[in-house]
Amino acid sequence: MNIAKSVANKKFLLTFAPTVIKCSSLHATALLCKSQAGKHKISKFNTKPLTYDQAMKPDAIGWKKSHLTFHTGNLHGEEGAYQLMYEDKFIRNFIMGTFYRMISGIVIKRRFNIVDVIATSDVSVPPGGYRMDFLIGYSERLLSAYLKCVVKIHMVKISVDNSHYKYI
Amino acid sequence: MNLNSLSRICRVVGKCRAITVIPVKPFSHTCMEKTLKQSEIVSSKKHFKDIIVLKSSLSSHDELIVDEKEKLYKAIDIFVKSHEEAVLDSYIQFCSSAAEQLDIPVHRVLTPKFIIDRMTLLKSKHIFKKHRVQYEIRTHKKVLQLKRLTGSTAQVYLEYIQRNLPAGVAMHVHKWELERIPAHIQAEIKSNISQLTDEDWERESNFLKKIETNQSQNASDYEEYETTGRFLIGTTS
């Protein structure tokens, strides 16, 4: 009777069991689900700052996190994924280089012929010193010449508290 | 662009039905009548009145105002795709409210099922074939179906909509145009209509019924909305 009951219970439980099947080759638990994407190396005394975007893992996209580029290349049935990714990488490298150590995050939005580059800086720059306007104009001109599009750069000043979400 | 100004433009253009101005030598009144009769217009009397009103206002100019044939659309589908469904929701709300402002009847809003493109890649850069990593890309879709538009309203509406497309949203516009029955077929119909039997009339009415029922399909039938062919409003296949 008891054996029959236990067997019946097991069968009942199996109907509501999760779809994960435990066998030797498949590991589906959280502990073993290791992936290197979105991981940052920790510093010795927790001095390395991370932005909110960097602090969230990639599986939080669509949940706590949004994308840093907005274009239609990766949609199902749309073309241009490779070219737009390449251009994004180029834009990011260019802007990190021209505004060296002044930028915490870059967001790129594409609408038809226009590329909007929104760069957030948390560094307070003296007004007469670095000539921010000149750098913005210069990078806009060069980028639009390279990419054959209308490139607009928006510099947004953020306070350090808002920019640094976590120290690692 | 302000919606009110747009709506005003729309109504004016709708009345005048896509005017084109062509510079011509000074002409007589009888000559103008002839040109009107030769071109096929929907309602000639009303059109004539409109032309006369315009002529009196521009009597000093030596220009003939010719009415281009206004295109009539049975339906227009606006098919939008994005990675984020919240963005699509708000955009479609905006589109339907804009349509209401311009007196365009909105048939319905469909949400076909989102598509997931999955990739299973190797986790390690060297060996360890058994350990993989899975990534996925989701595309959400929405369809806004509009009924009974004129060409000028469609032009204005679509331009307004497209100027306000958010970044990362792809739009496809499918249009279904109404065309006049060609003259030779019309003549044939006129000559042969008396010869139709009761069977023929029954068959035609059944066909119309099929079209009507096809229009009121469930949204689940549109789950794979990608191309125009299978989802024509008014077809039976």
Side-chain angles (χ1 to χ4, degrees):
Chain A
M1 243 324 250
N2 285 335
I3 294 163
K5 257 195 186 176
S6 61
V7 165
N9 284 337
K10 273 184 188 169
K11 277 192 182 171
F12 179 80
L13 284 170
L14 275 171
T15 55
F16 290 97
T19 49
V20 169
I21 302 159
K22 276 216 166 181
C23 49
S24 59
S25 57
L26 181 65
H27 302 276
T29 54
L31 284 166
L32 290 167
C33 186
K34 281 193 287 186
S35 162
Q36 296 298 316
K39 274 188 179 174
H40 301 275
K41 194 176 175 187
I42 60 168
S43 62
K44 215 172 188 183
F45 301 108
N46 285 359
T47 52
K48 182 174 169 181
L50 291 182
T51 60
Y52 180 84
D53 180 77
Q54 286 168 336
M56 299 289 139
K57 289 277 169 65
D59 59 295
I61 288 171
W63 175 33
K64 298 179 191 168
K65 192 172 148 172
S66 181
H67 302 274
L68 287 177
T69 60
F70 296 89
H71 63 258
T72 60
N74 286 318
L75 292 170
H76 184 82
E78 301 291 330
E79 292 171 354
Y82 165 72
Q83 190 186 357
L84 293 170
M85 191 198 76
Y86 197 86
E87 283 180 12
D88 278 354
K89 190 68 192 161
F90 176 75
I91 290 167
R92 278 172 208 282
N93 278 356
F94 188 92
I95 286 183
M96 295 295 264
T98 48
F99 303 91
Y100 186 55
R101 293 201 301 183
M102 287 197 265
I103 292 204
S104 62
I106 299 170
V107 174
I108 300 174
K109 290 191 172 189
R110 282 166 219 270
R111 219 173 286 118
F112 309 114
N113 201 27
I114 303 167
V115 180
D116 282 318
V117 180
I118 298 126
T120 57
S121 79
D122 55 354
V123 169
S124 58
V125 170
Y130 285 93
R131 305 198 178 201
M132 194 64 101
D133 294 328
F134 165 74
L135 284 178
I136 290 168
Y138 150 87
S139 40
E140 272 186 3
R141 191 87 157 89
L142 275 187
L143 281 174
S144 42
Y146 286 136
L147 303 174
K148 305 279 185 282
C149 290
V150 177
V151 177
K152 295 181 184 174
I153 296 175
H154 310 275
M155 286 295 284
V156 180
K157 172 81 176 64
I158 297 181
S159 65
V160 170
D161 301 326
N162 287 335
S163 171
H164 297 172
Y165 177 76
K166 197 173 168 181
Y167 290 94
I168 236 181
Chain B
M1 230 179 154
N2 195 13
L3 241 184
N4 286 329
S5 59
L6 263 180
S7 58
R8 257 181 271 136
I9 290 162
C10 223
R11 282 181 203 124
V12 165
V13 171
K15 273 184 200 165
C16 306
R17 279 171 275 150
I19 289 167
T20 54
V21 179
I22 303 166
V24 193
K25 287 179 194 170
F27 59 94
S28 65
H29 199 66
T30 49
C31 182
M32 192 167 117
E33 273 184 282
K34 277 184 193 169
T35 54
L36 280 174
K37 279 174 190 172
Q38 275 162 17
S39 64
E40 285 179 359
I41 303 146
V42 177
S43 58
S44 55
K45 270 190 187 176
K46 195 183 167 193
H47 178 79
F48 194 63
K49 276 184 196 168
D50 286 344
I51 287 288
I52 284 184
V53 162
L54 289 161
K55 197 211 166 192
S56 64
S57 62
L58 299 166
S59 54
S60 56
H61 298 266
D62 299 331
E63 285 167 344
L64 175 67
I65 297 160
V66 170
D67 196 24
E68 261 183 15
K69 269 192 199 167
E70 178 83 30
K71 283 188 184 179
L72 297 173
Y73 293 109
K74 191 172 186 180
I76 287 183
D77 275 13
I78 296 168
F79 174 45
V80 225
K81 289 190 266 188
S82 174
H83 289 301
E84 297 149 341
E85 55 185 339
V87 168
L88 280 186
D89 274 342
S90 77
Y91 182 66
I92 288 286
Q93 241 182 34
F94 157 78
C95 289
S96 43
S97 68
E100 274 175 59
Q101 287 286 310
L102 296 173
D103 296 328
I104 298 167
V106 173
H107 184 46
R108 59 185 168 175
V109 173
L110 300 169
T111 43
K113 187 153 204 285
F114 63 89
I115 289 176
I116 305 179
D117 294 317
R118 283 204 186 91
M119 289 176 276
T120 313
L121 308 171
L122 296 171
K123 194 193 280 183
S124 174
K125 59 183 166 186
H126 184 57
I127 55 172
F128 304 119
K129 192 62 175 284
K130 284 190 218 171
H131 303 271
R132 314 266 183 133
V133 158
Q134 288 188 317
Y135 298 106
E136 66 178 37
I137 297 172
R138 294 188 185 184
T139 50
H140 299 270
K141 307 180 201 170
K142 280 240 178 210
V143 185
L144 180 66
Q145 296 189 321
L146 308 168
K147 284 206 279 193
R148 295 191 303 273
L149 296 178
T150 55
S152 43
T153 41
Q155 212 178 13
V156 169
Y157 177 72
L158 286 173
E159 200 184 316
Y160 180 61
I161 291 278
Q162 283 161 11
R163 269 169 199 272
N164 292 303
L165 248 191
V169 175
M171 184 203 274
H172 294 261
V173 176
H174 304 308
K175 297 181 187 173
W176 287 274
E177 196 187 317
L178 286 174
E179 279 187 3
R180 293 186 148 279
I181 297 170
H184 61 280
I185 293 173
Q186 242 177 5
E188 262 198 57
I189 289 168
K190 272 189 189 174
S191 62
N192 294 336
I193 201 158
S194 53
Q195 293 172 16
L196 283 176
T197 60
D198 289 337
E199 269 185 16
D200 296 330
W201 284 114
E202 262 193 57
R203 199 193 333 121
E204 294 304 313
S205 60
N206 287 338
F207 190 71
L208 281 172
K209 277 180 193 170
K210 264 195 194 174
I211 290 170
E212 280 168 18
T213 53
N214 210 39
Q215 275 181 10
S216 60
Q217 276 174 355
N218 295 326
S220 57
D221 294 336
Y222 286 73
E223 267 183 25
E224 292 172 11
Y225 188 106
E226 280 289 347
T227 56
T228 59
R230 289 163 56 203
F231 301 104
L232 283 171
I233 299 168
T235 54
T236 53
S237 57

